[in-house]
Structures are given as structure tokens and as C-alpha cells.
């Protein structure tokens, strides 16, 4: 037969080969489409979960900024340092921004700048060096809730440079202690930045897994619905055939049936 290709004990025609190639291409195109849909769905879920995380974090930041603003105003009332008054105003403004503009990128940087200035203000007073350094560590830990490593890294760099600059220009802090604190802040910022990256990676993996499960459930549901429609249509066809057969049998004269029996 023309166009036949012998393979082993069977015969595969050229038409069968072309049909196999078309089927393989269709499956490949289906896999590519599924991967694209999964990628788009996982990205959408990741953006959604990240936005929800930013909103929840800004709600926490609202109360944290207001509490620190009250503490800064109280310290200004006792010490009279103008830096504490400015820090209190900045913290109050950051709390308002976190309340009114929750989830915005600018809000995160406003909170970071205000928190950094508050730590620098506490350090510049020179009243309690250990408390100021603890507040700087608290600032890094608080900002790490955003899971944004640039915010944490920028805050740590600003605190380190500010601490060394204050120690070099004033007698509020010793230079040796300032350099040591800068080193610890840098190390802590590195650990927190890694934690932020790991958290974002885990959030992305979770979103991808949810997207895969959602698409598989959707495809399964579509297949079940399609099969159900086929069964319903087949049942309707069976009912129509039964009605037709009933009508035909009802119009056959009885004597034909008896005549057939006599012939037998």
C-alpha cells in the first residue's frame, strides 16, 4: 500500500503519522497554555497576598507610630530637646499616612524615614546610649514587618552613618561604641534582609501552589460539567427514540401481528 511504513509487526500509514504529530503538537500547545495561565494566576495571587500584607502591616504601624509620637512628646516635655519634638511630629505624620494611605509604597518610606529620625533623635540627646541603640534595633525589627529588604537596608545604613557622624561631631556618644553599634546594626540588617527575601519567596511559592490547585479544580469542574451535559443529551436522545418507537408500535394494526403469528 502506498504511503505505508512498516514498523515491527504493525503497519503505520503516513496519515496516522501526521495525526500523531498533530496530536503531539496539540498536547504541547495545551501544556504551554496551562503554564502561561498558571504563571498569570500565580502572579495575580502573589500581588493580592502582598497587598493584603502591606495593609495589615500599615494598620500595625498606625498604632506603633502614634505610641512613639506620644513618647517623643513626653520626652521633649521633660528634656526640651528640639529633635524629640521634630521626631514626634514626624511619627505622628507617619501614623496618619499609615492610616489614610495604607498599602502605598510612599507610606512605607514615610514610616521608615520617621522611624529612622526618631532613633537618631534619641541617640543625639545623649541621655541613655543603650536605650537609643535598643530603639535603633527596634526600628529595624519593626520595619522588617513589611518584608521589604531595601527599606531595612536603607534604614540600617542611615542609622549607622548617623550614629558615627554624631559620635564624631559631639560628645554624646563615643566613637568606638558608635562604630561597634554600626557593625551590629549592619549584621542585623543582613539577617533581616535575608528573612524578608525568604518571606517573599515563600509567599510567591504559596501563590503558585494555590494557582495550580485552582486551575486544576477549574479544569476538573469543566470536564465534569461537559460530561454531565453529554449524559443529559444522551438521555434526551434515548427518551426521544423511545417515544418514537412507542408511536410506531401504537400505529401498527393488530391484525398484522396476528397474521405474522399465523404464518409462524
Amino acid at each position: 500500500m502506498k504511503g505505508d511504513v512498516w514498523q515491527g509487526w504493525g503497519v503505520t500509514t503516513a496519515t496516522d503519522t501526521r495525526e500523531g504529530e498533530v496530536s503531539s503538537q496539540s498536547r504541547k500547545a495545551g501544556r504551554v497554555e496551562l503554564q502561561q495561565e498558571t504563571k498569570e494566576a500565580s502572579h495575580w495571587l502573589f500581588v493580592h497576598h502582598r497587598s493584603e500584607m502591606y495593609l495589615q502591616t500599615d494598620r500595625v504601624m498606625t498604632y506603633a507610630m502614634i505610641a512613639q509620637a506620644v513618647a517623643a512628646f513626653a520626652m521633649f516635655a521633660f528634656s526640651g530637646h528640639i529633635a524629640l519634638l521634630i521626631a514626634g511630629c514626624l511619627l505622628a505624620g507617619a501614623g496618619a499616612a499609615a492610616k489614610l494611605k495604607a498599602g502605598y509604597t510612599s507610606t512605607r518610606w514615610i514610616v521608615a524615614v520617621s522611624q529612622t529620625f526618631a532613633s537618631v533623635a534619641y541617640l543625639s540627646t545623649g541621655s541613655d546610649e543603650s536605650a537609643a541603640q535598643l530603639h535603633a534595633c527596634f526600628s529595624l525589627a519593626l520595619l522588617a514587618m513589611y518584608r521589604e529588604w531595601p527599606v531595612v537596608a536603607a534604614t540600617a545604613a542611615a542609622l549607622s552613618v548617623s550614629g558615627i557622624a554624631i559620635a564624631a561631631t559631639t560628645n554624646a556618644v563615643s566613637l568606638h561604641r558608635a562604630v561597634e553599634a554600626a557593625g551590629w546594626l549592619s549584621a542585623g540588617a543582613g539577617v533581616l534582609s535575608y528573612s524578608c527575601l525568604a518571606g517573599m519567596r515563600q509567599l510567591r511559592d504559596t501563590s503558585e501552589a494555590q494557582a495550580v490547585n485552582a486551575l486544576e479544580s477549574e479544569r476538573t469542574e469543566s470536564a465534569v460539567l461537559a460530561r454531565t451535559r453529554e449524559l443529559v443529551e444522551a438521555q434526551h436522545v434515548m427518551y426521544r427514540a423511545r417515544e418514537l418507537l412507542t408511536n410506531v408500535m401504537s400505529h401498527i394494526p393488530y391484525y398484522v401481528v396476528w397474521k405474522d403469528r399465523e404464518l409462524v
Side-chain angles (χ1 to χ4, degrees), residues 34-48:
L34 179 60
Q35 291 176 357
Q36 184 66 23
E37 291 179 358
T38 303
K39 183 178 180 181
E40 293 177 357
S42 63
H43 177 71
W44 184 87
L45 287 173
F46 172 73
V47 172
H48 174 71

Side-chain angles (χ1 to χ4, degrees), residues 135-171:
H135 188 272
C137 296
F138 167 76
S139 297
L140 291 180
L142 185 65
L143 295 175
M145 292 179 62
Y146 283 120
R147 295 185 183 180
E148 289 283 350
W149 71 267
V151 174
V152 176
T155 301
L159 290 174
S160 300
V161 173
S162 299
I164 295 175
I166 291 174
T169 56
T170 63
N171 294 325

Side-chain angles (χ1 to χ4, degrees):
M1 182 180 295
K2 185 177 180 180
D4 291 348
V5 181
W6 290 90
Q7 292 182 352
W9 293 99
V11 177
T12 302
T13 63
T15 303
D16 295 336
T17 303
R18 287 194 296 269
E19 291 178 354
E21 292 177 354
V22 171
S23 178
S24 177
Q25 293 176 359
S26 300
R27 289 194 298 269
K28 184 177 181 180
R31 288 194 297 268
V32 172
E33 182 180 359
L34 179 60
Q35 291 176 357
Q36 184 66 23
E37 291 179 358
T38 303
K39 183 178 180 181
E40 293 177 357
S42 63
H43 177 71
W44 184 87
L45 287 173
F46 172 73
V47 172
H48 174 71
H49 291 328
R50 186 178 60 180
S51 299
E52 289 294 328
M53 181 192 65
Y54 288 153
L55 290 174
Q56 294 177 2
T57 304
D58 280 332
R59 294 190 187 101
V60 175
M61 291 298 175
T62 301
Y63 298 104
M65 295 298 108
I66 297 301
Q68 290 184 91
V70 172
F73 289 141
M75 293 179 65
F76 168 73
F78 284 102
S79 63
H81 288 281
I82 192 64
L84 295 175
L85 177 62
I86 298 174
C89 294
L90 289 176
L91 290 170
K99 178 65 176 179
L100 300 176
K101 296 292 184 180
Y104 284 78
T105 303
S106 58
T107 301
R108 295 192 288 275
W109 286 104
I110 290 174
V111 171
V113 171
S114 302
Q115 193 69 33
T116 302
F117 188 86
S119 296
V120 174
Y122 292 150
L123 185 61
S124 64
T125 58
S127 57
D128 192 346
E129 182 180 351
S130 298
Q133 292 177 356
L134 287 176
H135 188 272
C137 296
F138 167 76
S139 297
L140 291 180
L142 185 65
L143 295 175
M145 292 179 62
Y146 283 120
R147 295 185 183 180
E148 289 283 350
W149 71 267
V151 174
V152 176
T155 301
L159 290 174
S160 300
V161 173
S162 299
I164 295 175
I166 291 174
T169 56
T170 63
N171 294 325
V173 183
S174 62
L175 183 60
H176 174 73
R177 293 292 301 276
V179 173
E180 182 181 357
W184 284 112
L185 284 175
S186 299
V191 174
L192 291 175
S193 297
Y194 177 79
S195 177
C196 292
L197 291 173
M200 283 296 181
R201 190 182 304 111
Q202 182 180 5
L203 185 62
R204 191 180 298 276
D205 293 340
T206 301
S207 301
E208 184 176 357
Q210 290 179 353
V212 171
N213 292 333
L215 289 176
E216 289 182 352
S217 299
E218 183 179 356
R219 287 178 176 270
T220 302
E221 183 178 359
S222 300
V224 171
L225 291 176
R227 182 57 179 167
T228 303
R229 285 194 297 268
E230 292 177 358
L231 293 175
V232 171
E233 292 176 358
Q235 190 175 12
H236 288 168
V237 171
M238 184 183 67
Y239 286 156
R240 287 195 295 269
R242 182 178 180 181
E243 291 177 358
L244 178 61
L245 181 60
T246 303
N247 293 332
V248 171
M249 294 298 295
S250 63
H251 288 82
I252 296 177
Y254 289 105
Y255 70 89
V256 174
V257 178
W258 290 107
K259 186 67 175 177
D260 291 340
R261 289 185 177 180
E262 291 176 359
L263 292 175
V264 174

